[in-house]
Amino acid sequence: MNSFKHNNKSRVFARSLLALSISSSLYGGVAIAAEEQMVEEVVVTGIRASVQRAMDVKRNAAGVVDAISAEDMGKFPDTNLAESLQRITGVSISRSNGEGSQITVRGFGGSNNMVTLNGRTLPSGGSTAAYGGGTIGRAFDFGNLASESVKAVEVYKTGKASVATGGIGATVNIITNKPIETDGLVGTVGGKLVNDSTNERGDDITPELSGLVSFANDDQTLGVSLSASHQVRDSGQSGLTENNWNIRQWVTPGQPGSLSTLNSAEIINPPEVGQLYALPNDLRYHFVDNHRERNNAQLTLQFKPTEKLLGTLDYTYAENQIEEARGDKTVWLQGNITKIVFDKNPDVAGPLSLEQAWNFPKDNSYAQTSGNVTNTLKSLGVNLEFEATDRLTLMVDAHDSELEGGPEEAYGSAVRSGMAVAIGSYTTFDFSKKLPQVTNLINDSVKGNSNGIADIGDVSSTVFDFTYARQKMDVSQVKFDAKYEFDSFILEGGVETRNMQSAQQQSSWQKQGGGNSVAFPMDIPDELIENYNYVGGFDDFNTAGYQTDGFRADAVKLAEWGAATYGAKAAVPWGVAYNPNFSTNTIIEEETAAAYVQFGFESELFSRPVNLLAGVRYETTDVASSNSMLVPTEVTWTDNNDFLLVRSTTPTMYAQKSDYDNLLPSVDFDIALTSEIKARASYSTTISRAGYGNLTSGATISATGGLNQPTGLGGQPVASSQNPALLPLESDNFDVSVEYYFDDASYVSIGFFEKHVENFIGSEQVYENHFGLLDATAGPRAQQAAAALQAINQPVTEDSLFVMTAILDNPQDFPNGAADFKTPAQDPTFWGSVATKYDISPEAGDPELLYLTTKPINNKEAKINGVELAAQHFFGESGFGIQGNYTIVNGDIGYNNASPTNITQFALTGLSDTANLVLMYENEVLQARVAYNWRDAYLAGYTSSNPTYVEDYAQIDMNVSYEVTDNITLSFEGLNLTGEDSRAHGRTELLVWNIYDLGPRYQLGARYDF
């Protein structure tokens, strides 16, 4: 570059600097093309060429930028973009069903990273098939996009005035192929056979087809490209989950405030008085069968009638269809503890094992769920670049994009068909094992077939649940940018408007079958049920001695049987369908206007070349949130600790508006200390907006009325409300790094970063009544029932209190009042029959339910800092190469595992060290790559009661390709070769949340280039 005259030097510099500084904000492909032309890079294929191009992006960028480049057209390194991004320093991923889903950058999760497609903001959210769930978050799910049409992915870790806001962690720009850069007609067609070793019920081999064709005329004034892909994947999952860990302070058994169920229990290693201890709600094993079909397509048209004007029109389509079948074997812990062995953890004493006995057979659940969702992304965009003069370039870019996720089936998003066997008489939980174990003694003489074993003849129906969730997000964005090149510096500015609308509809519906307490034993026809071993899929665990009895069924067929059998008895419309009266209908509108200016120049400092890029961005945002909801009218007490929230039949609207603005400066400086060593320093202020779920209006109460225990026995109703007036997180970012480029594809680097973040979203908890709801469990009737039990020397438990209250509430059926009460020893079926027949509704005179309501507020600050180490080297002409990186991330606020649950906590989530190591080899016909990825344990989320720590995880992937001819290539890929599993726990490692037994995935492919 020093060989140019001064004017040319500054002009070339301007193009070089701006190429990377605006590739996210304007149109990625154009900028990358300009950068490649500037350095006169010869595009070659292969692993070495792709990592060299990525290194060039890093080296020539203004600020801290990392990139991944395709080896050739239609040949991105991984079939999943998230799994490619995890190779980048400081980037880690979360997985869904063993596949990369969302990214975390420098400790900030998916909702705090901006994802753009060719510089355009992508809609986020969508739905999941699991339990019919949905999300209106800001995190983009990379599982929706195939990689065949992706040319490169850039990760911008420092902010720039020209880049749209939204990413404190990073802005990730996905760059697709541009046809006008093609020489004539070229294309590629490929196919893969995919085998997921976790699959149980689907096809063992599923197809993946892709193709890309690109054409440009001889003058390269007209270009057109079309890419398409189709993928089918069948997979399975065996897992263990815990519904909740109840964290309490230890009180001497028998004293006020102690658990009544422990008064006569054998307690080994009891906690100290006042120490925290944990009891589980349940233990459940589950299976999941997944079926996914993903279809992607992209059409791009480019027209360059003169050297001064380039127009691009593109359309992107991505459809992801997911079907899920799930079964849960659940054993509940509901008191009657006879023995418990605690560990000696000083923070929270956890149960190594515990045992419970029943005076009458207790239900064990086998709920079966069928879920489905289709997420569809559509994006139409146009870009015009006009070189008005030799110095002035104008660009306008506009797009309209939408992402919609919802069900295709008549039953809605999910139907859960309840099955149970009321035959448990004594249960043992063992949490000391690698895979916790639950063992039941069987008594099927009361509500079973009396053969002494758990079999199909004992299975009964309970309730049928239907859920519906649909999300739709629309983004329209228009940007205008201008760039003027002076002799010694460049000046750039622009304006932008971005409008987003997010809508979410939800409903839930519960229809009675055999009842919560198995009112109609053994009612399901045997032909609808099959035997199933729920621990049989845990290949990586020793399950010798575990009970193998279990049952599964088709949830839809079971619901159809339930509709035919119990529909006429129900007081609600019946049928296998969701409730069309939405309990939640939320719309959030966000309008953003922005303007920016930035300049850059090249000079010398101490006779060394330096670059400076500085700018400022101003944004103003208006938020409008509305929620049309079915208002809760009653919390019905249906059984011991079972409650049902009743809603109105007509919706009520809640609405709120807010606004805010931000001034965001940025400075990037670099100096070439030698021809091989570059040092950088950057400062920027960036923001990340609150998740859409935090911006809704109106209070939220669960389907159980926010209760899981009578308030008279210590139960605390809980609710949540959101806050449309939340401000965005604002971070002051500091980066310093040094990079040593010692060969054409080799470098080492070290970088330090620190982020000072304000407006973190914490929470406050206040006691509030919502919607005038009353409490039947603490009113005069419940108090009278408790006194009556004490008068006959019966313990006041959840079961006995409900039964006695129901007796006193129905004098027409129990004329003798409390004298009609029977203990399980007197009549084992009495309590169950009362629970099935009677519900207790609140009435005048009952107290108001005071909900402990959690609300998000901007009340926290935190600092995050870290170190990034990276290296890349190819060993001469041997064909061997190596890549490696290690990231250390630290935060100044963590979760206090020993803190009581009544103290509101704030902690930084997602912080973890990460490491990658990639070994590469290639010659003229063979390419091979082995990649090791590791992420340390991290805090994924938390409440005041419980944190969720995801334990450290490492995975080894590999791929090999062989060029049979110049046009035909065969390939083989293996993901998670060692079948690593995942595990998450609560306050201590003993308090397991989930365990997932994962397995390898293999892909055999062929590719034809022309």
Side-chain angles (χ1 to χ4, degrees):
M1 190 175 287
N2 290 331
S3 62
F4 289 99
K5 294 181 180 179
H6 178 73
N7 284 346
N8 285 338
K9 177 180 179 181
S10 60
R11 293 285 300 282
V12 172
F13 154 73
R15 290 188 178 125
S16 172
L17 184 63
L18 262 276
L20 285 161
S21 69
I22 67 174
S23 64
S24 281
S25 63
L26 300 180
Y27 200 57
V30 175
I32 288 296
E35 190 268 337
E36 288 176 349
Q37 291 168 10
M38 186 276 299
V39 299
E40 297 181 355
E41 179 179 3
V42 178
V43 178
V44 295
T45 62
I47 296 176
R48 181 169 182 150
S50 72
V51 298
Q52 182 175 341
R53 287 195 293 271
M55 188 190 78
D56 289 342
V57 171
K58 179 182 181 73
R59 185 174 189 172
N60 296 323
V64 181
V65 181
D66 284 293
I68 302 173
S69 176
E71 296 175 21
D72 197 359
M73 189 180 72
K75 194 179 179 183
F76 204 69
D78 294 274
T79 57
N80 180 287
L81 295 180
E83 291 172 352
S84 283
L85 284 168
Q86 71 178 329
R87 320 290 182 205
I88 286 180
T89 312
V91 179
S92 55
I93 66 174
S94 60
R95 289 175 168 84
S96 176
N97 192 30
E99 185 175 346
S101 176
Q102 297 178 4
I103 65 168
T104 295
V105 183
R106 293 178 166 181
F108 287 90
S111 60
N112 293 317
N113 296 303
M114 172 69 78
V115 179
T116 60
L117 180 68
N118 294 320
R120 300 162 179 163
T121 302
L122 284 174
S124 57
S127 297
T128 61
Y131 294 110
T135 174
I136 51 173
R138 296 184 187 270
F140 182 77
D141 188 347
F142 286 90
N144 290 325
L145 282 180
S147 62
E148 281 76 14
S149 62
V150 175
K151 177 179 180 179
V153 177
E154 300 170 334
V155 179
Y156 290 77
K157 299 176 184 176
T158 53
K160 290 181 175 57
S162 58
V163 176
T165 58
I168 282 184
T171 295
V172 178
N173 187 38
I174 303 168
I175 301 171
T176 57
N177 288 293
K178 302 301 178 288
I180 210 163
E181 302 168 12
T182 304
D183 292 326
L185 177 66
V186 296
T188 180
V189 177
K192 294 180 181 179
L193 299 177
V194 182
N195 169 254
D196 193 313
S197 63
T198 64
N199 174 64
E200 182 180 344
R201 295 292 177 105
D203 293 331
D204 289 333
I205 304 295
T206 55
E208 181 175 328
L209 304 173
S210 63
L212 189 155
V213 60
S214 183
F215 170 78
N217 62 2
D218 293 339
D219 297 330
Q220 291 190 312
T221 58
L222 177 66
V224 57
S225 69
L226 174 65
S227 66
S229 67
H230 171 73
Q231 182 199 66
V232 178
R233 180 187 172 197
D234 286 336
S235 60
Q237 184 184 88
S238 290
L240 175 141
T241 54
E242 169 59 45
N243 187 52
N244 189 43
W245 284 101
N246 300 292
I247 309 297
R248 308 187 183 191
Q249 287 183 299
W250 185 260
V251 176
T252 303
Q255 299 299 312
S258 66
L259 289 179
S260 61
T261 53
L262 291 178
N263 287 342
S264 59
E266 179 185 359
I267 305 171
I268 300 176
N269 297 329
E272 298 291 334
V273 173
Q275 182 184 355
L276 295 181
Y277 71 98
L279 287 178
N281 263 23
D282 59 5
L283 191 64
R284 59 183 70 189
Y285 307 104
H286 71 258
F287 70 82
V288 178
D289 294 324
N290 287 295
H291 176 79
R292 185 185 75 185
E293 295 189 22
R294 186 177 68 189
N295 298 295
N296 277 198
Q298 184 178 63
L299 175 66
T300 303
L301 304 174
Q302 289 190 288
F303 182 51
K304 193 174 183 179
T306 71
E307 289 296 322
K308 304 288 187 180
L309 179 64
L310 173 63
T312 304
L313 176 72
D314 59 73
Y315 177 76
T316 301
Y317 176 86
E319 180 186 75
N320 200 14
Q321 298 178 342
I322 305 171
E323 297 177 0
E324 177 181 291
R326 176 182 174 121
D328 288 88
K329 176 181 180 177
T330 305
V331 180
W332 296 91
L333 177 73
Q334 292 179 312
N336 299 335
I337 294 175
T338 58
K339 181 178 180 180
I340 184 167
V341 180
F342 285 104
D343 67 0
K344 295 183 179 181
N345 190 289
D347 290 335
V348 182
L352 293 169
S353 65
L354 54 86
E355 302 175 20
Q356 62 177 354
W358 304 100
N359 293 319
F360 57 94
K362 190 62 180 174
D363 296 355
N364 296 322
S365 172
Y366 292 91
Q368 307 293 301
T369 304
S370 288
N372 78 103
V373 66
T374 298
N375 293 318
T376 305
L377 171 68
K378 301 175 183 178
S379 180
L380 177 64
V382 62
N383 178 275
L384 295 174
E385 182 184 14
F386 176 57
E387 189 175 338
T389 70
D390 288 343
R391 295 178 179 267
L392 177 62
T393 302
L394 305 176
M395 186 179 294
V396 62
D397 188 272
H399 79 102
D400 187 83
S401 304
E402 70 172 37
L403 174 62
E404 183 173 9
E408 302 294 331
E409 300 291 342
Y411 62 75
S413 301
V415 52
R416 184 169 60 175
S417 298
M419 299 193 304
V421 289
I423 59 177
S425 63
Y426 196 92
T427 306
T428 301
F429 297 87
D430 187 347
F431 288 96
S432 67
K433 294 188 175 183
K434 185 179 178 182
L435 179 73
Q437 181 180 6
V438 60
T439 305
N440 277 314
L441 291 181
I442 305 301
N443 178 4
D444 61 350
S445 62
V446 178
K447 291 188 176 181
N449 57 16
S450 298
N451 65 0
I453 60 174
D455 58 15
I456 288 176
D458 297 315
V459 181
S460 311
S461 69
T462 55
V463 295
F464 301 91
D465 296 306
F466 298 82
T467 58
Y468 179 94
R470 181 172 292 277
Q471 294 77 37
K472 183 178 181 181
M473 181 179 292
D474 292 283
V475 177
S476 58
Q477 185 177 16
V478 178
K479 299 185 291 182
F480 175 79
D481 297 89
K483 177 183 65 176
Y484 193 86
E485 303 177 28
F486 293 88
D487 289 342
S488 58
F489 68 94
I490 58 146
L491 181 66
E492 180 191 8
V495 294
E496 173 189 341
T497 63
R498 184 172 73 243
N499 297 328
M500 184 283 306
Q501 184 181 84
S502 174
Q504 183 181 49
Q505 297 171 324
Q506 289 185 326
S507 70
S508 60
W509 195 246
Q510 187 177 90
K511 300 175 181 180
Q512 199 71 17
N516 283 319
S517 299
V518 185
F520 306 103
M522 303 175 292
D523 57 341
I524 304 177
D526 291 355
E527 60 268 20
L528 292 179
I529 314 169
E530 64 175 291
N531 291 301
Y532 186 81
N533 178 8
Y534 279 77
V535 298
F538 289 95
D539 298 328
D540 298 334
F541 300 84
N542 181 7
T543 58
Y546 287 61
Q547 289 184 328
T548 60
D549 55 276
F551 316 99
R552 68 176 290 172
D554 185 308
V556 176
K557 291 181 179 179
L558 201 58
E560 292 171 346
W561 165 84
T565 304
Y566 295 107
K569 303 175 185 178
V572 294
W574 192 243
V576 183
Y578 66 90
N579 183 359
N581 298 314
F582 299 120
S583 57
T584 300
N585 193 347
T586 300
I587 296 177
I588 299 172
E589 296 179 272
E590 194 174 77
E591 297 182 358
T592 299
Y596 78 92
V597 62
Q598 70 180 15
F599 73 95
F601 69 91
E602 181 186 65
S603 184
E604 289 187 351
L605 182 65
F606 304 116
S607 300
R608 301 310 308 166
V610 297
N611 294 314
L612 178 69
L613 180 69
V616 63
R617 183 181 185 91
Y618 174 76
E619 288 199 348
T620 179
T621 302
D622 296 314
V623 179
S625 175
S626 62
N627 185 7
S628 177
M629 62 185 297
L630 300 179
V631 176
T633 59
E634 176 183 304
V635 178
T636 306
W637 192 10
T638 62
D639 199 352
N640 44 28
N641 57 9
D642 292 331
F643 301 88
L644 178 65
L645 185 69
V646 180
R647 295 181 179 271
S648 65
T649 56
T650 56
T652 300
M653 175 67 74
Y654 295 84
Q656 189 173 340
K657 293 184 178 182
S658 66
D659 61 81
Y660 53 86
D661 55 61
N662 298 92
L663 189 66
L664 308 171
S666 62
V667 179
D668 292 304
F669 172 82
D670 67 67
I671 179 171
L673 300 176
T674 71
S675 60
E676 298 174 329
I677 300 176
K678 177 173 283 191
R680 302 179 189 274
S682 297
Y683 165 78
S684 64
T685 300
T686 54
I687 65 171
S688 178
R689 294 176 173 84
Y692 300 122
N694 289 136
L695 301 178
T696 59
S697 301
T700 301
I701 301 174
S702 69
T704 64
L707 275 169
N708 61 9
Q709 187 181 25
T711 61
L713 296 179
Q716 174 59 63
V718 294
S720 64
S721 62
Q722 304 306 322
N723 185 359
L726 286 172
L727 297 174
L729 282 66
E730 184 170 306
S731 177
D732 289 324
N733 314 298
F734 305 88
D735 281 83
V736 178
S737 63
V738 177
E739 302 152 9
Y740 173 38
Y741 299 92
F742 56 91
D743 205 346
D744 61 352
S746 302
Y747 76 94
V748 294
S749 68
I750 182 171
F752 303 88
F753 65 88
E754 184 166 287
K755 296 176 180 291
H756 298 178
V757 186
E758 298 179 347
N759 295 334
F760 261 117
I761 299 174
S763 63
E764 62 177 356
Q765 292 184 316
V766 295
Y767 290 94
E768 293 180 335
N769 176 259
H770 298 292
F771 313 110
L773 294 172
L774 301 179
D775 183 7
T777 74
R781 292 168 297 170
Q783 294 175 8
Q784 183 183 358
L789 289 167
Q790 292 170 347
I792 60 175
N793 294 320
Q794 289 295 314
V796 181
T797 67
E798 299 167 353
D799 294 278
S800 64
L801 183 63
F802 176 85
V803 172
M804 183 63 81
T805 305
I807 289 173
L808 299 180
D809 197 38
N810 294 277
Q812 71 282 1
D813 295 332
F814 302 99
N816 300 315
D820 287 330
F821 181 87
K822 298 178 182 179
T823 67
Q826 294 169 330
D827 184 350
T829 65
F830 181 73
W831 287 14
S833 63
V834 171
T836 299
K837 185 175 181 180
Y838 299 102
D839 293 332
I840 302 171
S841 295
E843 61 184 22
D846 287 334
E848 288 187 336
L849 277 166
L850 284 181
Y851 285 90
L852 182 59
T853 306
T854 303
K855 300 180 177 181
I857 55 174
N858 296 113
N859 66 344
K860 301 296 181 182
E861 298 180 7
K863 292 183 180 179
I864 296 173
N865 58 71
V867 180
E868 294 181 338
L869 304 169
Q872 174 179 299
H873 180 57
F874 277 84
F875 298 91
E877 301 302 320
S878 68
F880 288 97
I882 186 171
Q883 286 179 312
N885 59 67
Y886 191 95
T887 302
I888 302 171
V889 182
N890 298 301
D892 61 352
I893 301 179
Y895 190 91
N896 183 358
N897 294 320
S899 176
T901 60
N902 60 352
I903 297 178
T904 301
Q905 294 207 51
F906 169 73
L908 298 173
T909 60
L911 303 185
S912 65
D913 295 351
T914 58
N916 293 279
L917 181 64
V918 182
L919 304 178
M920 301 166 284
Y921 173 78
E922 67 176 346
N923 58 29
E924 293 181 355
V925 296
L926 179 67
Q927 295 183 6
R929 187 191 318 238
V930 178
Y932 171 84
N933 173 258
W934 170 81
R935 182 178 187 181
D936 202 1
Y938 64 96
L939 177 67
Y942 62 92
T943 65
S944 60
S945 297
N946 283 301
T948 297
Y949 295 101
V950 177
E951 299 180 6
D952 64 299
Y953 179 86
Q955 180 168 310
I956 298 176
D957 306 326
M958 61 84 68
N959 58 60
V960 178
S961 63
Y962 179 75
E963 295 184 10
V964 180
T965 69
D966 290 342
N967 304 102
I968 299 175
T969 303
L970 301 180
S971 64
F972 176 77
E973 298 169 273
L975 303 175
N976 192 15
L977 290 176
T978 57
E980 297 299 315
D981 305 321
S982 70
R983 187 181 191 272
H985 65 263
R987 292 185 180 229
T988 73
E989 290 189 11
L990 183 67
L991 308 184
V992 60
W993 281 123
N994 56 66
I995 296 173
Y996 298 115
D997 191 304
L998 306 176
R1001 187 166 76 249
Y1002 304 103
Q1003 300 180 149
L1004 179 64
R1007 167 187 167 100
Y1008 177 75
D1009 299 323
F1010 59 90

